[in-house]
Structure formats: C-alpha cells, structure tokens
C-alpha cells in the first residue's frame, strides 16, 4: 500500500503529525498505524498538559468540544513527604514554568481520541489494531516503509485457520512515533548510528491508578506532586491530579537507575498510598483503573539524531520529556509539527526517501530546545547526588539558567541497566501485604488495565539467551525482573524442587517496556505482539 507519509504510532505526536501534514497539503496520502485495539488504548499519562503546541496546531480546540478544556489547573502544590508528615514547598521557590499556569488536567488517551477525529475529518487514514513488526529498506539503505505483523500465528510458528499475512506500507517518508523505548526505534538507532553524538537515554517507570473519590475530598483542577518518602534506594515521586467527574488520577514515578535489585516500583507505589496525606484524599474512594508505562528522562543531552534517509523520529521515540515538569506531550506534538513541515516541503519539491535535513535544525532552534536546555541537569543532578542535595542543586541550576547564568556544564547519563548492584551488596526490602483498600497486588491491578493477548501466539518477550535468567540473574541479582515488572509477567518457578526456571506470563504484559530497559544483561528484547493486544485503557 503506497502512501506519501506513513506514521507508526497513534499517540499525540503521530496524530499531530498527521493533522499538520493535511493542513499543509490536503492532497497528501497519510496513514497512521496503531498497535492498540483503538486509538488511546495504549496511551497512559498523568496527565497535566501544557496546551502550547495544541494552541499552535488547532487554535480553536477549546471551542471544538475537546474534553481537555473541561478542567484547567486551579491549584498547584509540591509536597516533600516524610513517613508521617508533609511539607509544602512555597510556589515562590519553584521556577515559574513549574507552576502549571494555563495547563489542563485530564485523560491523554481521550485527547488522542479527539485528535484522531480531527485527523480523519481531514482525510487521514487511521488503522488501529495493526502492529508494525518490521522496517523495510530500499536498495540504497534508506527506509522504504514498514510491514505489519502477521495475524493468526500459533506459539509454535504454525499458521492457525484465521491466519492473515502482514501488510507492507511503502512511503516517501516514514515517521516513527512509538513512544518511549520503541522496538523499531531501537533498530533505527543502531542502523543509522543515531546516538553517536548524544548521551544514552535513561528512563523512569510511571505507574498510575484512577480513583473515584468522595465529593468532600475532591477539588477539581488541584494538582499535587510529591517527593521523598517512601523512596530510600531510588528517586522519584508521586502525583495526584483532581480531574473531572469526581476522579483523581494518582501515580508514582521511579527512576530506573536504582541500585537495589530488591526494589519494586509497584510496591513503592502501594506504600506511598498509605501516607496519611495521600490516604486522606483516597478515604472512602474506589480504584477503577490501573496501568504502567516507561517514560524518557534523559532530556536534552539524550536527544538522538532525529532524521535519517527516508524517516524521522518524533515525540517520545526521540525523548522530549521535560523531567521536572513531568510533561512531554506538548514538546512531542511540536516535534511532530516540525517534522510534518519538513516532509511536506520535501514532497512538494519532488523528493523521496532522502534525509529531511530541515527537521533537526528546526527542533534545535525551537522552543523545545529553549525549554529542555533549562532543565538539562535536573535528572542527572538528582541521580548523582540523591533526592535532597540533588533537588537543591537541580533547582539552583534551573534558576541560574533562567537568569542566563547557568552552570557551564552538561551532566552525563549512564544506562539504567548498568546501575544495578549485586544482591550481596544490598539489603533486601520487605514490603507489606496489600490491604485491598489502599494497596493491591499486581494481578488484580492488571485486571483493571483490561490487558488481553491472544494466548496462542509467539511470546513477544524474547530472550537472547534462555539460560541467562537462571545462570546470571538468579545468583547475582535474585532475578530483579520479578520486581521491576509492574504486571507479574516474570516469575521464578521450581525453586522448591531445586529446579528453578523463568516463567514468562506474556498475557499480563501492559507494554511498559521496563524489562527491555532494566534487565542487567540486556537479555530481554521486547518485540511487538499481535495487533490489538495489550492493555485497553478507557480513560487514562
């Protein structure tokens, strides 16, 4: 199937690119491929959204029925937690861009569904349930397009009665908008040496729940961020966003450069909800949804080369998240607009499959660069010096950069899988059993994510060496994959019989990509399952 532009990923970046392309040239043939069962099914974010890019893309969005406009942020607080108390940082201590002035809180998935409607109205073809499994190349090495995965393949590789071969989609240019740690983006980075001049990307895992809470505890538009307790062996923090319909979106982010292999981000999240200040908000409430997703935390110095022959990286495939603000949708959307402008210009000039050389300079001279350069030392400062001292140094650096006197250095990153220590170098962490009121287990949580995979299909969580989990991860790290996975995918069975083996419960996978990132030997390789599988988030 030939197109002018093929876009891989139906998130905010992919849909923004599609809309902008059709705004520039209504005759362009544009399609969006989305591996989720519908647009928004795999979208998970806090979310407090800066509308800056949306204002540029669709200036009348507030009047066009977009639900994001329903809840502007009216109160923004930052808490520092101890085990029993909270200390609220005065807003005057926070840089102005941290105040959430003019921002909105709501479901990023619902925003994507609305963007998809706008894109289809313009003539964009959107194909949900089509997982892209392969990159296609021209004879000269340029990207030719992509191929979707076969459907109806059994676990043993044979074809089932409902077998359908994948489709090839050829394009003049292919946009990769897969989100953080995209499995195709990993291949492109190697193929075109895109990270040759950048720092390695680093990540956090974000875990999120939606709660219906008591009306007396709900203040629509209130945004709360926390840091400190319960994390001792890692850094990160929590959030509570009071959204429409009496709901609170709450969650917890843990940086994946933590050292202790016994740490469980999921369990830290459950502990955090028992803090008296958090528990008071949730008292009498009911949990209605759960999900998890890795997020980019590398910042400006980890942005790879963005353009290559026949394609570009946009959005979180490239990594435009502003870590202190915990916001990346606006920068992702802006990158998509700039890529669309470069591609539309190239097609109009009769070019195809070359490098869109206008795109990267446009990004590096845009407000994306201005914003991310201000905060480029925040993540590495906290990673190096810890939550307390690191936060002070990061805040000082941000203030100085706002005053044009920032430190003349760019701090460096180290790959998250390299940070983990051996089990004999740390103390095991004991977590309390869930009470079923505030805290819950993984399996009941996965149930709320509506995750489903066709059971008889090749396992999409592949091992480069099947022996490594038992010969390396077990004796050295006590199999941390059991704990960093937020969905109970990885399980060691057979210990009682003195015959341990790794069992992979792939049906539970919520596509967070944490295993692909944190596995100490990089032995786990996440590949795409059948289209339509995975979580189905209704309002995340």
């Amino acid at each position: 199937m030939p197109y002018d532009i093929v876009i891989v990923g139906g998130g905010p970046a992919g849909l923004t690119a599609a809309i902008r392309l059709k705004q520039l040239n209504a005759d362009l043939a544009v399609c969006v491929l989305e591996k989720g069962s519908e647009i928004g099914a795999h979208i998970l974010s806090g979310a407090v959204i800066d509308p800056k890019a949306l204002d540029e893309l669709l200036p009348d969005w507030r009047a066009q029925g977009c639900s994001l406009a329903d809840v502007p942020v009216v109160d923004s607080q930052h808490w520092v937690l101890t085990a029993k108390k909270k200390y609220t940082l005065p807003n005057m201590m926070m840089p102005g861009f941290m105040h959430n002035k003019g921002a909105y809180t709501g479901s990023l998935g619902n925003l994507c569904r609305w963007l998809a409607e706008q894109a289809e109205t313009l003539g964009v073809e959107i194909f949900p349930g089509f997982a892209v499994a392969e990159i296609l190349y021209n004879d000269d090495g340029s990207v030719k397009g992509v191929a979707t995965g076969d459907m109806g393949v059994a676990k043993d590789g044979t074809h089932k009665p409902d077998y359908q071969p994948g489709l090839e989609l050829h394009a003049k240019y292919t946009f990769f908008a897969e989100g953080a740690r995209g499995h195709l983006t990993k291949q492109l980075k190697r193929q075109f040496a895109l990270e040759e001049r950048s720092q390695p990307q680093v990540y956090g895992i974000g875990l999120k729940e939606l709660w219906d809470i008591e009306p007396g505890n709900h203040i629509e538009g209130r945004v709360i961020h926390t840091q400190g307790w319960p994390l001792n062996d890692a850094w990160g923090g929590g959030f509570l966003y009071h959204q429409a319909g009496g709901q609170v979106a709450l969650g917890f982010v843990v940086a994946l450069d933590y050292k202790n292999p016994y740490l469980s981000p999921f369990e830290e999240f459950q502990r955090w909800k028992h803090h008296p200040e958090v528990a008071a908000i949730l008292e009498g409430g009911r949990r209605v949804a759960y999900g998890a997703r890795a997020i980019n935390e590398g910042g400006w110095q980890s942005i790879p080369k963005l353009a290559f022959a026949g394609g570009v990286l946009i959005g979180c495939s490239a990594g435009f998240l502003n870590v202190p603000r915990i916001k990346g949708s606006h920068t992702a959307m802006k990158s998509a607009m700039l890529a669309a402008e470069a591609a539309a210009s190239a097609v109009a000039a009769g070019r195809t499959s070359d490098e869109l050389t206008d795109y990267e300079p446009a990004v590096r001279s845009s407000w994306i660069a201005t914003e991310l350069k201000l905060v480029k030392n925040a993540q590495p400062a906290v990673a190096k010096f810890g939550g307390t001292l690191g936060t002070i140094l990061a805040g000082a650096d941000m203030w100085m950069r706002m005053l044009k006197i920032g430190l003349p250095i760019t701090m460096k990153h180290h790959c998250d899988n390299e940070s983990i220590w051996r089990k004999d170098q740390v103390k095991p962490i004991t977590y309390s059993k869930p009470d079923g009121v505030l805290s819950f287990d993984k399996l009941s949580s996965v149930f709320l994510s509506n995750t489903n995979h066709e059971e008889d299909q090749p396992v999409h969580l592949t091992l480069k060496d099947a022996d490594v989990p038992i010969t390396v991860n077990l004796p050295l790290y006590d199999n941390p994959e059991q704990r960093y996975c937020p969905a109970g995918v990885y399980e060691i069975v057979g210990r009682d019989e003195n015959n341990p083996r790794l069992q992979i419960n792939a049906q539970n996978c919520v596509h967070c990509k944490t295993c692909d990132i944190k596995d100490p030997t990089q032995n786990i390789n996440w590949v795409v399952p059948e289209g339509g599988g995975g979580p189905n988030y209704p309002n995340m």
Side-chain angles (χ1 to χ4, degrees):
M1 299 173 65
Y3 288 91
D4 291 311
I5 310 293
V6 168
I7 300 169
V8 181
L15 294 167
T16 294
I19 291 169
R20 187 64 182 135
L21 285 162
K22 293 297 259 185
Q23 288 175 336
L24 294 166
N25 183 349
D27 294 328
L28 286 174
V30 180
C31 84
V32 175
L33 300 168
E34 165 57 40
K35 66 182 172 68
S37 59
E38 64 173 6
I39 293 293
H42 290 179
I43 296 295
L44 183 144
S45 177
V48 172
I49 296 173
D50 184 333
K52 188 173 185 177
L54 189 55
D55 287 339
E56 293 182 15
L57 179 70
L58 297 165
D60 295 330
W61 65 272
R62 293 171 182 83
Q64 292 178 346
C66 179
S67 62
L68 182 65
D70 294 345
V71 186
V73 174
V74 298
D75 178 33
S76 186
Q77 300 182 22
H78 191 100
W79 297 351
V80 178
L81 302 182
T82 64
K84 298 295 183 182
K85 295 183 180 180
K86 81 166 194 293
Y87 300 91
T88 302
L89 288 182
N91 277 340
M92 63 181 296
M93 293 180 60
M94 310 286 286
F97 58 79
M98 299 285 286
H99 293 173
N100 293 309
K101 183 178 181 180
Y104 296 82
T105 182
S107 164
L108 185 61
N110 287 341
L111 174 61
C112 288
R113 293 179 178 98
W114 184 83
L115 288 172
E117 292 174 4
Q118 312 313 305
E120 289 182 319
T121 298
L122 294 171
V124 175
E125 297 180 35
I126 299 178
F127 301 114
F130 283 81
V132 178
E134 182 184 359
I135 305 166
L136 306 176
Y137 296 95
N138 292 303
D139 292 340
D140 63 0
S142 61
V143 172
K144 182 179 183 179
V146 294
T148 63
D150 295 347
M151 303 286 283
V153 179
K155 189 173 292 187
D156 62 5
T158 60
H159 293 175
K160 295 185 288 187
D162 61 346
Y163 171 76
Q164 292 182 352
L167 300 174
E168 286 196 8
L169 296 100
H170 299 173
K172 295 174 181 174
Y173 297 99
T174 305
F175 286 19
F176 293 87
E178 300 179 278
R181 194 69 169 197
H183 77 290
L184 301 176
T185 301
K186 282 172 56 180
Q187 299 172 37
L188 292 165
K189 286 179 176 180
R190 292 192 297 266
Q191 178 73 14
F192 294 101
L194 301 181
E195 293 184 305
E196 198 171 43
R197 289 175 290 180
S198 62
Q199 292 290 314
Q201 186 59 261
V202 294
Y203 301 87
I205 178 174
L207 305 107
K208 178 183 175 182
E209 295 175 351
L210 286 179
W211 283 63
D212 292 329
I213 66 169
E214 292 290 332
N217 294 338
H218 190 264
I219 302 175
E220 190 170 276
R222 170 173 283 182
V223 165
I224 299 168
H225 292 105
T226 80
Q227 69 179 81
W229 188 89
L231 291 177
N232 293 315
D233 296 303
W235 72 274
F239 63 83
L240 299 110
Y241 302 156
H242 292 243
Q243 298 179 342
Q247 283 194 333
V248 166
L250 65 150
F252 204 73
V253 178
V254 178
L256 288 176
D257 62 352
Y258 64 81
K259 299 178 176 63
N260 192 329
Y262 290 104
L263 186 143
S264 166
F266 176 88
E267 299 292 352
E268 297 291 343
F269 177 30
Q270 303 308 309
R271 288 176 65 192
W272 172 80
K273 287 184 289 177
H274 283 275
H275 189 279
E277 297 289 342
V278 177
I281 294 172
L282 301 180
E283 184 178 2
R286 181 175 66 94
R287 187 177 72 147
V288 296
Y290 167 81
R293 186 67 171 92
I295 60 175
N296 299 297
E297 291 192 338
W300 183 247
Q301 55 268 53
S302 294
I303 303 298
K305 189 173 185 291
L306 299 172
F308 43 89
V312 294
L313 303 181
I314 61 174
C316 286
S317 279
F320 294 107
L321 182 81
N322 183 320
V323 177
R325 296 185 75 194
I326 325 178
K327 292 179 180 63
S329 297
H330 64 303
T331 47
M333 293 171 70
K334 179 62 174 179
S335 73
M337 294 167 67
L338 296 173
E341 290 160 11
S345 177
V347 173
R351 293 160 48 197
T352 180
S353 295
D354 62 350
E355 184 175 319
L356 294 174
T357 54
D358 293 344
Y359 169 45
E360 185 149 351
V363 169
R364 295 188 180 274
S365 62
S366 71
W367 54 256
I368 298 174
T370 303
E371 179 173 329
L372 295 189
K373 286 178 181 178
L374 278 175
V375 301
K376 66 179 181 178
N377 286 332
Q379 193 279 349
V382 178
K384 184 175 180 62
F385 298 106
T388 301
L389 179 57
T391 298
I392 294 170
L393 293 174
D397 186 63
M398 287 188 287
W399 272 110
M400 288 191 291
R401 289 185 184 281
M402 289 174 65
L403 298 172
K404 311 298 183 184
I405 53 173
L407 297 174
I409 60 170
T410 298
M411 297 183 70
K412 295 182 178 181
H413 298 300
H414 303 282
C415 293
D416 292 317
N417 67 292
E418 298 172 354
S419 64
I420 201 161
W421 289 3
R422 299 191 314 270
K423 66 181 184 181
D424 61 344
Q425 297 174 296
V426 301
K427 292 182 178 180
I429 302 173
T430 301
Y431 294 104
S432 301
K433 290 184 177 181
D435 64 3
V437 178
L438 290 173
S439 51
F440 306 89
D441 62 20
K442 288 182 180 179
L443 293 184
S444 65
S445 300
V446 172
F447 177 79
L448 290 180
S449 71
N450 301 305
T451 295
N452 182 59
H453 295 89
E454 170 60 46
E455 187 168 349
D456 187 16
Q457 67 171 297
V459 174
H460 68 280
L461 300 158
T462 64
L463 302 177
K464 298 174 185 176
D465 185 336
D467 293 331
V468 164
I470 301 305
T471 61
V472 179
N473 284 6
L474 177 58
L476 293 184
Y477 311 107
D478 198 17
N479 289 107
E481 57 267 39
Q482 299 177 98
R483 291 173 288 277
Y484 58 61
C485 173
V489 169
Y490 300 98
E491 184 180 2
I492 299 297
V493 298
R495 285 195 180 192
D496 292 342
E497 296 79 23
N498 201 29
N499 184 31
R501 63 182 178 84
L502 178 68
Q503 179 170 295
I504 299 177
N505 305 306
Q507 297 91 336
N508 291 359
C509 179
V510 295
H511 298 198
C512 74
K513 309 294 182 68
T514 305
C515 57
D516 195 283
I517 297 164
K518 188 61 177 174
D519 183 58
T521 59
Q522 290 294 275
N523 188 50
I524 299 173
N525 185 39
W526 194 100
V527 300
V528 70
E530 277 192 4
N536 193 349
Y537 299 132
N539 194 33
M540 297 284 266

